Amino acid sequence: MTDFARTRALFALPPGVIYLDGNSLGPLPVAAQARVAKVLTEEWGPELIKAWNTQGWMDQPRRIGDRIGRLIGAPKGSVVMGDTLSIKVFQALSAALALNPDRKVVLSDSGNFPSDLYMAEGLLRALDKGHVLNVVAPEAVEAAIDHSVAVLMLTEVDYRTGRLHEMAALTEKAHAAGVVTVWDLAHSAGALPVDVLGADADFAVGCTYKYLNGGPGAPAFIYIAPRHAGHVRPILSGWLGHEAPFAFDLDYRPAEGVDRMRVGTPPVIALAVLDAALDAWEGVDLHLLRQAAIGLSEQFIKGVEARCPELVLGSPRCSAARGSQVSFRHPEGYAIMQALIAHGVIGDFRAPDALRFGFTPLYIGPHDVDRAIDILETVLRRRLWDDERFRRRAKVT
Ligand SMILES: Cc1ncc(COP(=O)(O)O)c(C=O)c1O
């Protein structure tokens, strides 16, 4: 039994705010504050550089990688932390392409996050070996998998619509055609049960500042299927991905297994925050979490469609085809979201017209959803959004 009243108490949510944006930036875990204080005052302060050894700082990326591994179905020792997700996409795609050297096509879809596509463009340009990036509609991915494709690179849950790809089925089809797979789990890890090993994914990457609540800019993770981990060659051959970093050799030899995807010095303080955030997941059954998230999403869709007819559902209607977020579309979506935020319901906006709402049972319950619907209805019925100050675009939407 997962006790969501217990998990809710683990987060420091501002009173009166209904936070429906954990799909973008998770809230502050209460325990993170004491953990950071500990790192500063008991580790860095008194221990100085000794702490790399005495406090296990150097092992953090693998130790925390194992904690993420439990949430994505990865075996111990197959996940490592570091850098941002864009960097991890670059590393994974490069390693995947090298496993299929005779093929020149990277297949992705238009629902992928732009940074993934940009990183692919940059990598293919730098490789200068005639690779092409083929971006098709999400529904067209399956049919586009054939023997010309080197790598299938997809984000499992669409950042804008919440549409969920079938990771196991697409990976199986890819493998049957000799295609290597890279899965971006940014909107999956901590949102729904993921089984990278069961789905036989070759590479998986993800961030930890969304559903995993690791804080703004928290380090990303990378998974390599154990069958590849011992022989892929890292494109970013940093010293901490070296077999013996402190031998200071002049030539690069990759470390054992997934450790070779480490690049430079780990962000110790950020990893400590993430470590504290991951405590909230102890004892959480991801299948129950998924059930609860679907319940909240369905409640929201039903309520909004009944009471806010001017909003058009932008997410798949079938809950099995959706991640843990719901989008509604409206030409004035930006102003509506700003007005909603001003009235205490925080979601976000993705151009051109999507209002996004994330449903995170760790700290959101049915009562919050009811209140959010009430406030959204009021904002629309009374046209509270129709105000110059809500139309002014901020840098981050
Ligand atoms: C699916 C997906 N991939 C990649 C990124 C980029 O991540 P980062 O800014 O950590 O490099 C994001 C950011 O939100 C994302 O949602």
Side-chain angles (χ1 to χ4, degrees), residues 84-87 112-113 115-116 155 159 184 186-187 207 209-210:
T84 73
L85 176 51
S86 302
I87 303 287
N112 207 342
F113 191 76
S115 196
D116 294 33
T155 294
Y159 73 102
D184 182 335
H187 302 266
C207 61
Y209 42 75
K210 300 181 190 293

Side-chain angles (χ1 to χ4, degrees), residues 268-286:
V268 170
I269 299 169
L271 282 166
V273 173
L274 174 59
D275 200 23
L278 291 173
D279 290 350
W281 293 95
E282 295 300 328
V284 172
D285 177 326
L286 285 161

Side-chain angles (χ1 to χ4, degrees), residues 309-379:
E310 55 273 72
L311 297 183
V312 177
L313 183 64
S315 297
R317 186 164 296 279
C318 167
S319 61
R322 237 181 16 237
S324 208
Q325 69 176 68
V326 172
S327 297
F328 277 95
R329 302 176 56 198
H330 190 286
E332 293 284 355
Y334 183 78
I336 294 169
M337 183 52 78
Q338 293 315 302
L340 198 56
I341 293 171
H343 289 83
V345 179
I346 304 185
D348 62 20
F349 171 80
R350 286 295 173 261
D353 59 0
L355 296 108
R356 283 197 315 182
F357 303 91
F359 295 93
T360 48
L362 287 192
Y363 49 85
I364 290 292
H367 178 65
D368 301 306
V369 173
D370 277 342
R371 276 188 53 220
I373 297 166
D374 285 347
I375 296 171
L376 179 56
E377 184 188 22
T378 304
V379 163

Side-chain angles (χ1 to χ4, degrees), residues 62-312:
R62 269 286 296 283
R63 188 177 57 75
I64 295 175
D66 282 343
R67 298 193 78 186
I68 305 273
R70 181 183 87 78
L71 302 175
I72 61 165
K76 266 198 166 5
S78 62
V79 177
V80 76
M81 311 303 300
D83 316 297
T84 73
L85 176 51
S86 302
I87 303 287
K88 281 353 213 184
V89 167
F90 190 84
Q91 288 179 292
L93 179 58
S94 147
L97 281 171
L99 292 175
N100 237 345
D102 299 330
R103 300 190 185 187
K104 300 291 179 212
V105 177
V106 174
L107 176 61
S108 192
D109 74 4
S110 54
N112 207 342
F113 191 76
S115 196
D116 294 33
L117 301 175
Y118 304 159
M119 293 310 274
E121 272 183 40
L123 172 64
L124 301 189
R125 204 177 316 116
L127 290 175
D128 199 18
K129 286 188 185 155
H131 288 98
V132 292
L133 175 60
N134 183 18
V135 179
V136 301
E139 315 74 55
V141 166
E142 190 183 345
I145 297 172
D146 63 27
H147 287 78
S148 71
V149 177
V151 176
L152 174 64
M153 179 186 81
L154 293 174
T155 294
E156 189 188 20
V157 177
D158 186 313
Y159 73 102
R160 213 159 18 200
T161 65
R163 183 222 8 86
L164 175 65
H165 272 308
E166 287 185 42
M167 182 156 104
L170 287 174
T171 301
E172 189 179 347
K173 173 139 195 217
H175 286 172
V179 177
V180 181
T181 56
V182 174
W183 286 96
D184 182 335
L185 303 178
H187 302 266
S188 311
L192 40 98
V194 179
D195 185 3
V196 285
L197 194 65
D200 205 20
D202 298 278
F203 297 87
V205 293
C207 61
T208 59
Y209 42 75
K210 300 181 190 293
Y211 294 93
L212 299 179
N213 314 305
F221 65 83
I222 183 165
Y223 161 80
I224 311 182
R227 67 179 179 286
H228 298 313
H231 59 92
V232 295
R233 195 155 181 92
I235 187 160
L236 301 177
S237 38
W239 73 302
L240 287 180
H242 191 281
E243 185 184 38
F246 287 87
F248 296 104
D249 290 340
L250 294 185
D251 56 340
Y252 179 80
R253 291 189 312 282
E256 273 285 297
V258 76
D259 266 341
R260 66 189 57 198
M261 291 296 167
R262 291 176 64 164
V263 181
T265 305
V268 170
I269 299 169
L271 282 166
V273 173
L274 174 59
D275 200 23
L278 291 173
D279 290 350
W281 293 95
E282 295 300 328
V284 172
D285 177 326
L286 285 161
H287 293 278
L288 291 180
L289 177 104
R290 172 73 169 150
Q291 252 177 38
I294 288 176
L296 298 174
S297 308
E298 296 283 294
Q299 180 190 347
F300 187 71
I301 292 173
K302 200 161 154 234
V304 171
E305 289 197 318
R307 291 164 58 188
C308 312
E310 55 273 72
L311 297 183
V312 177

